[in-house]
Amino acid sequence: MVQEKTFQINMTKEALTNFMVTSYYRRFSGIFSILLGLAGIGMAVREIFFREHMDVPGLAAYVIIALLCLVFNPVTLVSRAKKQLETSPSYQQPVEYTLLPEMMVVSQGEEHLEIGWELIYKIRMTGKMVAIYTSKVNAFVWPLSELGDEKSAILSRVVQYTQEYRPFLSGNLKKYRKQ
């Protein structure tokens, strides 16, 4: 088996949006936002159907809370992802990744970064992207559409190279472990 694997990634709007939404709704603030929005809906329903005299200002407040939490937050995340993709210089040209047994090499233009596999603490895959986290807030995001036919080979290498350091793997990546 060849030890080195090199490929290029162009960020897509779908993958970046998926990363931002997934990251937000897996944290306490995202979960709390959903619960607060559902509570707003519940209180609005209670106000409309189960109160003898409707409190209109209270109803308006509940509806506004529900809209902010359940509509405004996701729309904001999508628009931020779109804006970031359009304005960030790091998304304007492809990023080249080289996977070696001892490290991952990331190159873009004149910039070059070597990341030891021991620095990877979490790898999460969704239906649109793979995020390789080096900290709680920093991740390399790979759109699955960009991996193409090489997806299995690339993901197998990443999972196997990081296996001895035991990063958190999302369940759908565990199939890439060496048997």
Side-chain angles (χ1 to χ4, degrees):
M1 171 170 105
V2 178
Q3 294 294 316
E4 182 177 306
K5 183 75 178 158
T6 302
F7 56 98
Q8 287 191 343
I9 295 291
N10 288 299
M11 184 55 67
T12 65
K13 180 184 168 206
E14 293 80 22
L16 187 57
T17 300
N18 187 261
F19 172 72
M20 291 179 78
V21 169
T22 301
S23 296
Y24 179 72
Y25 286 109
R26 287 188 180 270
R27 293 189 308 240
F28 175 77
S29 57
I31 294 167
F32 184 73
S33 173
I34 290 172
L35 293 175
L36 189 61
L38 292 175
I41 290 173
M43 296 301 288
V45 167
R46 188 191 97 186
E47 195 66 44
I48 293 170
F49 295 109
F50 300 104
R51 298 283 300 249
E52 205 169 298
H53 300 287
M54 189 181 338
D55 175 22
V56 176
L59 175 63
Y62 299 140
V63 170
I64 289 169
I65 288 170
L67 286 174
L68 285 174
C69 294
L70 299 176
V71 177
F72 183 74
N73 277 349
V75 168
T76 301
L77 288 170
V78 170
S79 66
R80 277 191 5 217
K82 181 181 178 191
K83 183 177 180 181
Q84 190 174 353
L85 191 62
E86 292 170 353
T87 60
S88 177
S90 62
Y91 296 132
Q92 302 308 313
Q93 57 182 321
V95 178
E96 183 175 277
Y97 293 88
T98 303
L99 308 178
L100 301 165
E102 58 278 350
M103 74 182 87
M104 176 172 66
V105 180
V106 183
S107 305
Q108 186 178 40
E110 299 297 318
E111 295 185 42
H112 177 83
L113 181 64
E114 295 178 351
I115 298 155
W117 295 116
E118 71 277 2
L119 298 176
I120 308 296
Y121 95 98
K122 178 170 44 173
I123 307 170
R124 183 176 307 283
M125 183 169 81
T126 68
K128 303 262 185 216
M129 59 85 193
V130 173
I132 299 176
Y133 289 84
T134 55
S135 73
K136 288 187 177 197
V137 294
N138 295 320
F140 295 98
V141 179
W142 299 347
L144 288 179
S145 62
E146 289 288 308
L147 299 180
D149 296 337
E150 298 290 315
K151 176 181 138 184
S152 290
I154 291 167
L155 295 178
S156 292
R157 291 226 176 126
V158 170
V159 170
Q160 290 170 18
Y161 290 160
T162 59
Q163 191 167 349
E164 73 178 280
Y165 305 108
R166 300 183 185 269
F168 170 83
L169 294 179
S170 57
N172 50 5
L173 284 169
K174 291 179 182 173
K175 66 183 174 188
Y176 294 105
R177 283 187 177 150
K178 199 175 213 174
Q179 304 303 332

